[in-house]
Amino acid sequence: MIPTSISSAVADRAKILGTLETLVIGAAGGLLFLWLNLPGGLISGAMAAVGIAAMAGRPVTMPPILTQTVLVLLGVTLGSLVSRQLIQHVSAYPLTIGLLALATFCSTFGSSFYLQRMHGWDKTSALLAGSPGALSQITMLAAEKGADVAAIAVVQTMRVIILTAALPLLLALTGIAPSAPVEVASLIASPLELAVLAGAAIAFALLLRLANFPASWMFGAMIASAVLHGTGLIEGGLPPWMRGVVLVGIGALIGTRFARISRSTLVSHINAGLGSFAVAIVISAVFVTVIVLTTHVRFADVVVAFAPGAMDAMLALALTLHIDPIFVGAHHLSRFVFVSITTPGIVHLFGRPQEDVDD
């Protein structure tokens, strides 16, 4: 019999080594993509490297405390942009957010119809897999309704991975966004200002967390940083090296999602994931086209705001591609709320009857 204290110490050591390996692999991938001058290099390179390592069976992991730290630092960086740019197009927000809700509704049913017709999925699993964003809520709802959780996770994860890798490349190749990294802030906050930023960010994030606000660590830090910078109390931002660490951390975090999916599960559902992703992109493209033709919002801003990916990944891309993070954040938060509120009702009305689930 192995004493509990020894087995616990071994497990803790394995987690620490797994975390260090994840960070080293992520940093190597990010630096490689940056050296190749690929758009969004740090985040997409880290994501690709960690994802490949996860599929190869390496114990990649990101502990909660490290994840929360990365999200807080991302929020601080995004909030520091408020005093320098944007809040242009604010008058267009209600229109574009309304269209985003409609696009989300159409995308959910379009992807669901595809999964049912082409891959024989049941209604509940197809609806949950087609719902963009809010993966944690979708997963819990899938387990509660007896849906195929593994298949849904594959489709949802593939959507995030493809968007994070493809969006920067697409925007750069079309000349819509710069391919080279953009300097976010010319001033670096003093040690005292950084301490104030960190304290305010953590305090506000904890308040939002108590209120069950979605993505509270990132949005709490973002709001606190935005207030401090917008009022002129603080002018500088994080040092460039720290922003690079944040982007690598976000990329590595996305890559670790593959560690929760077995290779056989991924292979068996890869066609469903690619097909439903294509359907969702086509539907989103229609709405993006309407907005670009009828408003003055920049095309790149609308593309990232309407991309059916995870909030943290899309906001990190907004940071690297010099895209309006306030516009993108407002829309992804709105979609998160819309999906969280409406999906249970949609599944109840259009999914399998509960008695079928129980059987």
Side-chain angles (χ1 to χ4, degrees), residues 55 154 158 258 261-271:
M55 294 307 301
V154 169
M158 285 185 62
F258 275 127
I261 303 173
S262 68
R263 194 176 308 174
S264 59
T265 301
L266 176 63
V267 171
S268 62
H269 296 295
I270 192 168
N271 289 334

Side-chain angles (χ1 to χ4, degrees), residues 104 108 124 127-134 137-138 141-142 145 335-351:
T104 300
T108 298
T124 299
L127 284 168
L128 291 172
S131 181
Q137 283 83 347
I138 294 298
L141 188 58
K145 295 293 184 179
R335 183 173 59 200
F336 184 98
V337 173
F338 178 77
V339 168
S340 299
I341 292 175
T342 62
T343 300
I346 290 174
V347 170
H348 177 73
L349 290 174
F350 301 100

Side-chain angles (χ1 to χ4, degrees), residues 151-330:
I152 293 169
V154 169
V155 172
Q156 293 272 5
T157 299
M158 285 185 62
R159 182 186 297 130
V160 175
I161 297 292
I162 295 172
L163 281 172
T164 306
L167 267 183
L169 188 61
L170 173 66
L171 294 176
L173 290 177
T174 55
I176 297 170
S179 58
V182 178
E183 285 298 320
V184 176
S186 57
L187 295 176
I188 299 175
S190 66
L192 178 59
E193 288 176 325
L194 288 175
V196 172
L197 273 173
I202 293 172
F204 211 94
L206 289 173
L207 285 175
L208 293 189
R209 189 166 180 79
L210 290 174
N212 293 321
F213 192 87
S216 55
W217 292 108
M218 180 178 65
F219 275 106
M222 181 177 174
I223 293 171
S225 178
V227 170
L228 289 172
H229 284 90
T231 56
L233 295 176
I234 293 179
E235 294 185 358
L238 298 180
W241 67 266
M242 193 174 292
R243 294 197 297 270
V245 169
V246 170
L247 295 175
V248 168
I250 292 293
L253 179 62
I254 299 171
T256 58
R257 293 189 179 191
F258 275 127
R260 308 183 199 123
I261 303 173
S262 68
R263 194 176 308 174
S264 59
T265 301
L266 176 63
V267 171
S268 62
H269 296 295
I270 192 168
N271 289 334
L274 292 174
S276 63
F277 171 79
V279 171
I281 288 299
V282 169
I283 293 173
S284 298
V286 172
F287 284 88
V288 168
T289 302
V290 171
I291 291 174
V292 170
L293 294 177
T294 58
T295 70
H296 298 291
V297 183
R298 290 193 310 170
F299 179 71
D301 294 346
V302 181
V303 168
V304 179
F306 273 63
M311 280 193 293
D312 51 2
M314 295 303 103
L315 281 168
L317 284 182
L319 177 64
T320 61
L321 299 175
H322 207 48
I323 290 171
D324 183 345
I326 308 303
F327 183 86
V328 173

Side-chain angles (χ1 to χ4, degrees), residues 6-74:
I6 296 178
S7 61
S8 177
V10 171
D12 290 342
R13 183 173 181 272
K15 288 181 180 178
I16 293 173
L17 291 176
T19 301
L20 291 175
E21 181 177 352
T22 302
L23 296 176
V24 170
I25 292 173
L31 290 174
L32 175 62
F33 275 41
L34 193 64
W35 179 71
L36 294 173
N37 200 31
L38 294 175
L42 287 176
I43 181 173
S44 54
M47 178 196 69
V50 173
I52 292 172
M55 294 307 301
R58 299 307 305 165
V60 294
T61 182
M62 287 276 282
I65 184 64
L66 185 57
T67 299
Q68 292 158 4
T69 300
V70 168
L71 292 175
V72 167
L73 291 175
L74 175 61

